[in-house]
Amino acid sequence: MTGDGESGRDATNRDVRVAVFRPDDERLAEAERLLDSLGAEIVADPMLEVRPTGEEPREGDYVVLTSKTGVELASEAGWEPGDATVCAIGESTADALREAGYEVDLVPEEYTSAGLVEALGDEVAGQRVEVARSDHGSAVLTDGLADAGADVNETVLYQLVRPEGSGDSATLAAEGGLDAAVFTSSLTVVHFLEAADERGVRAEAISGLNDAVVGAIGDPTRETAESEGIEVDVVPEVADFEKLACAAVEAAAPTYHE
């Protein structure tokens, strides 16, 4: 763990400085409130910007939603599932569906694309399955359902791009100025490293992360980070941001590194 002298931080700052890469909307505000309640200082560096395509989920015997953002866009478009079996990839997506007034028929035990394929694999042969998500969705889901015999259609509800000017966290990491960083998707890892590349500090940023506590929201995100040389210390049992942030702050707390 890097000390305050090396990072050049003000002694009045909080003891644990955590980089968060969530989109600059209510998710980032939620992260700020949570980290404040944990006594941590947030470094807010959004690595994802949502650009809606104007599309909405199409009809199917099964309709799969994979994110809160997708649910919100579908709801805003006035989407109605009809008689379809509505599937959510995890509880946060399921909660968003219920809050929007939709019934949720299936949530897999494992909140991943592979978990959803396993949950649906025995019942989708010959069925139309609509997958509505971002432009960076994993092929594990669509290919797995197709291999199970489903007639799969994918609708891109929104694009995910890296916001202009992002990357301050990469500079801080390179300077030893972070105590923790929490990655909430594989794409946040990719965009963090792209930003580090642009600033000419990729190797130093990875080294700085490896001197800090790195959290990944699930195994796919962990695998992406580790494939790039980033050591992951924390992966919550459930893919939930609050659990991820709490675990990362607890691991990074100075009392644990005396």
Side-chain angles (χ1 to χ4, degrees), residues 48-71:
L48 298 175
E49 180 181 314
V50 175
R51 293 185 180 174
T53 62
E55 299 290 332
E56 64 179 270
R58 299 181 186 178
E59 292 183 358
D61 300 304
Y62 292 77
V63 178
V64 176
L65 279 301
T66 65
S67 69
K68 179 180 179 181
T69 298
V71 172

Side-chain angles (χ1 to χ4, degrees), residues 71 80 96 103 136 151 189 192 205:
V71 172
E80 294 291 343
E103 291 188 8
H136 282 83
D151 176 13
V189 176
F192 174 90

